[in-house]
Amino acid sequence: MYHPTVARLTYRGLLGRRRAFILFALPALLIVISAVIRVLTGADDDTATNVLGGFALATMVPLIGVIAGTGAIGPEIDDGSVIYLLSKPVPRHTVILTKLTVAIGVTVAFSAVPTLIAGFVLNGNSQQIAVAYAAAAAVASVAYSAIFLLLGTVTRHAVVAGLVYALVWESLFGSLIPGARTLSAQQWALALAQKIGAEGAISSDVGLPLAVTLLIVVTVAATWYASRKLRTLTLAGEE
């Protein structure tokens, strides 16, 4: 289910110079903003919620998910090198699961950990806000990684499609259209944050049981279809 060589190559591709700069820049910006706000306004729970919910979870996490999820396989498909990888005696589902694991690890490291640090900087984890949003970022990382990895296998414009999903669907439609929030990974993650945080500190439009169910279904379905698409891609390349 996990192939070390595939993982090593994937990490090397994701943490290349250009992607690494973006991966480090977003968390650094979050922490700098949090530090400045703390110095200027002091500790405030509402401010912490707005920063962690409005910037960290709503913007930073999906953007890092786009970089990690699409970057785990998209470049190999674009330049054709994936055919050499798939010519090895490695099951296609193992390739996808390994790349998904790497994408999740990178997304969690560059989103959940900085979110936790920023939360402690903003209000010292008052009302469990820092821990709640860090947990939400980790959970969202799983869904985003699976969704964007799938996009990387089905389209050569995966980054554009991922940005449209993250910025238009999640941030725009998810904030303006009530019904769209039920199909938002951000709201699913917020359901967990609401459960962890103090009563009334964080709110979500989706109940926790439904959120967990949708997270599992979307992650499993995206992973399965990405594996299926990779098999088709292999056949096409061999032909």
Side-chain angles (χ1 to χ4, degrees):
M1 304 299 285
Y2 181 85
H3 197 280
T5 301
V6 174
R8 185 172 63 253
L9 294 173
T10 305
Y11 274 117
R12 185 181 302 172
L14 282 178
L15 300 179
R17 184 176 302 175
R18 185 171 58 182
R19 287 192 181 86
F21 173 77
I22 301 175
L23 288 172
F24 279 102
L26 288 171
L29 179 61
L30 170 64
I31 294 173
V32 169
I33 290 174
S34 300
V36 171
I37 291 175
R38 177 62 184 267
V39 170
L40 294 178
T41 65
D44 181 76
D45 293 345
D46 289 337
T47 300
T49 300
N50 290 333
V51 173
L52 297 181
F55 179 73
L57 188 61
T59 303
M60 185 186 73
V61 178
L63 287 179
I64 291 177
V66 169
I67 297 169
T70 62
I73 195 169
E76 293 175 317
I77 294 177
D78 290 341
D79 62 21
S81 61
V82 69
I83 300 302
Y84 297 99
L85 172 63
L86 298 179
S87 67
K88 305 300 181 182
V90 181
R92 305 304 175 249
H93 68 272
T94 298
V95 173
I96 289 296
L97 288 174
T98 300
K99 288 183 174 293
L100 176 61
T101 301
V102 172
I104 291 173
V106 170
T107 307
V108 169
F110 285 94
S111 61
V113 175
T115 298
L116 181 65
I117 295 172
F120 274 95
V121 170
L122 286 164
N123 74 340
N125 195 38
S126 173
Q127 299 193 75
Q128 292 291 307
I129 289 175
V131 172
Y133 274 104
V139 168
S141 296
V142 177
Y144 285 134
S145 296
I147 292 169
F148 298 135
L149 180 66
L150 171 61
L151 289 177
T153 64
V154 300
T155 175
R156 291 183 178 273
H157 306 290
V159 174
V160 175
L163 289 174
V164 169
Y165 174 85
L167 299 179
V168 177
W169 178 262
E170 290 278 354
S171 298
L172 183 59
F173 289 168
S175 62
L176 297 178
I177 304 175
R181 296 171 189 168
T182 305
L183 301 178
S184 168
Q186 177 187 338
Q187 291 297 325
W188 305 339
L190 277 173
L192 176 62
Q194 182 180 16
K195 181 68 175 181
I196 296 174
E199 185 176 355
I202 303 170
S203 62
S204 172
D205 293 323
V206 182
L208 185 59
L210 178 59
V212 172
T213 301
L214 290 173
L215 278 166
I216 293 173
V217 169
V218 167
T219 301
V220 171
T223 305
W224 172 82
Y225 191 75
S227 300
R228 184 173 180 271
K229 181 64 178 178
L230 202 60
R231 294 191 186 96
T232 304
L233 178 67
T234 304
L235 292 174
E238 291 172 349
E239 291 173 357

